[in-house]
Amino acid sequence: MKRYSAFALAREAFRNHQGWERAWRDAQPKKHYDAIIVGAGGHGLASAYYLGKNHGIRNVAIIEKGWLGGGNTGRNTTIIRSNYLQDPSAAIYEKSRSLYETLSQDLNYNIMYSPRGVMMLAQTEHEVRGYRRTAHANALQGVDTTFISPKKVKELVPIIELKGPRYPVLGALWQERAGTARHDAVAWGYARACSDMGMDVIQKCEVTGIQREGGRVTGVSTTKGDIGCNKLGIVVAGHSGHLAEMAGFRLPIESVALQALVSEPIKPCMDVVVMANTVHGYMSQSDKGEMVIGGGADGYNNYTQRGSFHHIEETVRALCETFPMISRLKMLRQWGGIVDMTGDRSPILSKTPVENVFINCGWGTGGFKAIPGSGWGFAELMAKGHSPLTEAFGLERFREGRFVDESVAAGVAH
Amino acid sequence: MLILECPYCGVKADETELHPGGEAHLTRFGPGSSDDAFESYLFMRANPKGVHFERWRHAHGCGKWFHAARCTVTLEVFGTYSAQTTEPPSDIIEKIAARRPGWAKESQA
Ligand SMILES: Cc1cc2nc3c(=O)[nH]c(=O)nc-3n(C[C@H](O)[C@H](O)[C@H](O)COP(=O)(O)OP(=O)(O)OC[C@H]3O[C@@H](n4cnc5c(N)ncnc54)[C@H](O)[C@@H]3O)c2cc1C
Ligand SMILES: [Zn+2]
């Protein structure tokens, strides 16, 4: 693989950009792999990458029914933060955030990580208490967050209206080192690095069945034929229930639609990410100047990748109260992704009832931030059978009542 | 926008008038049951890509719970029916079979 660099840019500028290589090979399936990952979203690709990089397992295929990064990885609002409440969450999300800081260098691919800071507004007394508690928990976990005053909020976000009629701003949980990244680039960067290690990223290939013999996986059926494997990782977000059905088990997961929208581009007006969980709305400004807006998830099972109109209305109404200047903006695009929700709003990284089948799912509305950390832990789980990062996130926690409860005040937090 | 007809009051309500309640026809297990049965009742869900039987409440109408059969891929509604039953009535099953040849209702674990 030719490395990207300032020198490469200059060289290509002098020869009409004729020398750039494909970022990854257009691979077709072999008969057998040591490991197959189903789903070329961020989590699937990162899992494969660390299988190769950290554990030397490189005879790997990543199988994707559509195009890589076309699932939730390419549909999210790219918020990266690690200010969770429970210790196991803090561990995996903070690992992830710290990997993001150097991911561009590690992958030799600019993922445009922008540690601009994430602010979670406290707009009720309950939220003030909740976020103070989170800030204390984070201090013990070594995650750098603070609870800030309304005055500080206004300094950081001049366009905010502190005295909103229904929900005044009473303070905020502030994580300065949190931020955003370019979502497609995360998928593309990992895919390029996987391909470079000799792995096959196979697109337009749908897994339609999971073959087993004596309770152990032997391969998958796909639209490009049968492919054998020793180990299988299912990393398909909203489609997890569907794949679990193929393998003959059920999951504590329901798939619902979550939407986002962007406005027309405007001049720079807000250089941090603001989340308002009481009213289910959050916003940041992209490098192109669009206001990127996300809201609440629908309440019913859905695989249509579009959501209900009234949710957009609720979100925008709430944000207009907090940011009166956006009330005149035109919205350009709206889309939805199918998110995999668990009861405790924490992910599942686990062995399954089928031997050598592993599952990484349940990231729901908030897994973009977790891609590097999840890949790191899941690769270790697949390679060694256990990982300190994923230990608390096994499927057995539901049966044993050991929830990693992150479903605090609002069910949605990205 | 999803529109369901409440089988009790006959109102065709859009989803803002309704409250979703998740998978229908779960068998309730309590103390004395096996761990498997209890876990499955509390947490495990079919979550199918296709025909789904589910609970809804006519929250801003008559207030009653009812059942709906719906496709999660196309949002097609096959019908709604009373909540006073442990399985979908035969006319609903026939309607689904007519619209989805080859479909078979998954047996409850
Ligand atoms: C609108 C929206 C906003 C969000 N905002 C944020 C945010 O701000 N911050 C944050 O951290 N998270 C956010 N999230 C959540 C985040 O996007 C997801 O948790 C994360 O991207 C999941 O990544 P993944 O790799 O698990 O899944 P995906 O990217 O969905 O990848 C799964 C892949 O599996 C493939 N697949 C499915 N079935 C099969 C099959 N049978 N055979 C082969 N391939 C298959 C799919 O095509 C897909 O490409 C948001 C999500 C949405 C929808
Ligand atoms: Zn009614």
Side-chain angles (χ1 to χ4, degrees):
Chain A
M1 173 178 78
K2 283 192 194 144
R3 287 181 62 80
Y4 296 145
S5 63
F7 171 73
L9 260 182
R11 184 188 62 212
E12 291 306 324
F14 282 110
R15 48 176 187 183
N16 291 323
H17 296 279
Q18 299 297 302
W20 297 114
E21 304 178 321
R22 288 188 74 109
W24 51 83
R25 282 172 298 112
D26 185 18
Q28 294 307 315
K30 292 190 285 194
K31 284 231 146 39
H32 191 274
Y33 293 91
D34 291 343
I36 289 181
I37 303 279
V38 190
H43 288 267
L45 290 161
S47 301
Y49 174 71
Y50 295 112
L51 267 180
K53 190 181 174 207
N54 295 354
H55 305 283
I57 302 174
R58 298 192 171 171
N59 182 17
V60 174
I62 305 111
I63 302 181
E64 166 57 49
K65 77 177 158 88
W67 64 97
L68 68 91
N72 293 346
T73 298
R75 294 166 184 270
N76 67 82
T77 45
T78 79
I79 300 173
I80 296 169
R81 60 184 179 90
S82 58
N83 52 355
Y84 284 72
L85 183 63
Q86 310 292 345
D87 292 350
S89 321
I92 196 164
Y93 288 108
E94 178 64 6
K95 171 79 185 168
S96 201
R97 194 203 54 74
S98 68
L99 285 170
Y100 262 124
E101 283 189 334
T102 52
L103 196 59
S104 294
Q105 291 80 354
D106 184 25
L107 297 177
N108 178 235
Y109 201 96
N110 187 3
I111 59 138
M112 298 165 75
Y113 182 53
S114 159
R116 60 183 66 184
V118 171
M119 182 186 289
M120 293 166 79
L121 300 179
Q123 292 176 290
T124 63
E125 284 300 332
H126 299 287
E127 267 187 313
V128 171
R129 276 198 290 266
Y131 287 147
R132 280 189 190 282
R133 179 182 176 208
T134 304
H136 292 315
N138 289 163
L140 293 172
Q141 293 152 345
V143 177
D144 185 10
T145 63
T146 43
F147 189 82
I148 57 174
S149 67
K151 185 165 162 277
K152 178 83 178 167
V153 169
K154 185 77 182 173
E155 265 169 48
L156 288 162
V157 189
I159 65 168
I160 208 165
E161 170 58 58
L162 293 179
K163 299 190 169 48
R166 279 192 304 169
Y167 298 108
V169 175
L170 306 172
L173 182 66
W174 171 237
Q175 187 176 15
E176 196 164 1
R177 302 176 76 169
T180 60
R182 169 88 201 267
H183 48 14
D184 299 317
V186 173
W188 297 337
Y190 275 122
R192 175 167 170 265
C194 286
S195 183
D196 186 49
M197 280 190 276
M199 297 182 179
D200 289 344
V201 184
I202 305 164
Q203 304 186 72
K204 291 191 212 143
C205 178
E206 180 168 355
V207 171
T208 53
I210 295 175
Q211 297 154 2
R212 287 154 287 162
E213 245 177 61
R216 162 195 285 257
V217 69
T218 56
V220 293
S221 319
T222 77
T223 47
K224 293 189 176 179
D226 291 355
I227 313 174
C229 67
N230 300 341
K231 289 185 180 176
L232 183 69
I234 300 176
V235 198
V236 294
H239 290 77
S240 299
H242 191 50
L243 269 284
E245 198 183 324
M246 293 178 199
F249 58 91
R250 276 188 168 205
L251 289 171
I253 285 205
E254 289 188 280
S255 298
V256 302
L258 177 68
Q259 306 177 68
L261 58 157
V262 294
S263 75
E264 58 191 326
I266 53 173
K267 290 257 169 70
C269 65
M270 192 175 82
D271 61 0
V272 302
V273 180
V274 178
M275 309 179 65
N277 286 336
T278 294
V279 295
H280 284 325
Y282 57 97
M283 191 163 83
S284 64
Q285 189 167 23
S286 75
D287 294 343
K288 283 182 283 183
E290 300 161 331
M291 302 311 285
V292 182
I293 296 175
D298 287 3
Y300 57 87
N301 298 48
N302 188 350
Y303 283 86
T304 61
Q305 290 192 332
R306 51 170 207 264
S308 299
F309 178 72
H310 66 100
H311 281 290
I312 304 179
E313 199 178 345
E314 277 166 26
T315 300
V316 171
R317 194 193 300 141
L319 287 176
C320 282
E321 272 185 25
T322 311
F323 303 96
M325 67 157 263
I326 71 165
S327 67
R328 301 289 172 86
L329 284 185
K330 293 186 188 71
M331 294 299 149
L332 287 191
R333 294 188 305 282
Q334 169 275 347
W335 65 92
I338 302 306
V339 294
D340 39 343
M341 307 297 282
T342 58
D344 60 0
R345 299 294 183 264
S346 283
I348 295 169
L349 297 111
S350 183
K351 295 181 179 172
T352 70
V354 182
E355 204 181 329
N356 287 346
V357 174
F358 301 81
I359 192 152
N360 179 348
C361 65
W363 292 101
T365 59
F368 175 70
K369 65 177 72 65
I371 285 172
S374 147
W376 187 284
F378 193 62
E380 190 173 17
L381 177 68
M382 281 187 73
K384 296 187 186 164
H386 56 87
S387 159
L389 273 185
T390 66
E391 220 173 351
F393 299 109
L395 265 173
E396 67 286 352
R397 75 172 185 271
F398 295 94
R399 183 192 194 92
E400 294 168 3
R402 288 186 296 102
F403 309 112
V404 186
D405 195 356
E406 291 292 352
S407 61
V408 237
V412 202
H414 310 264
Chain B
M1 179 154 284
L2 194 62
I3 296 174
L4 299 175
E5 184 176 323
C6 172
Y8 298 109
C9 60
V11 168
K12 284 198 171 63
D14 84 47
E15 59 182 283
T16 57
E17 220 175 297
L18 303 165
H19 187 81
E23 188 176 345
H25 307 306
L26 293 172
T27 310
R28 189 168 178 166
F29 290 92
S33 59
S34 73
D35 286 358
D36 276 345
F38 192 52
E39 180 191 24
S40 165
Y41 156 59
L42 276 183
F43 302 111
M44 299 302 173
R45 296 295 177 261
N47 196 21
K49 200 174 165 182
V51 180
H52 191 229
F53 299 96
E54 55 197 16
R55 303 163 71 230
W56 286 85
R57 193 167 89 89
H58 194 184
H60 299 287
C62 67
K64 288 186 176 145
W65 284 99
F66 63 92
H67 287 155
R70 190 176 58 87
C71 176
T72 59
V73 178
T74 61
L75 300 192
E76 177 177 359
V77 178
F78 302 109
T80 53
Y81 52 98
S82 158
Q84 316 302 315
T85 169
T86 52
E87 58 185 66
S90 54
D91 60 314
I92 297 274
I93 298 282
E94 273 161 33
K95 262 188 216 154
I96 299 170
R99 300 282 300 154
R100 297 280 184 283
W103 170 84
K105 189 175 177 315
E106 191 204 359
S107 64
Q108 287 283 318

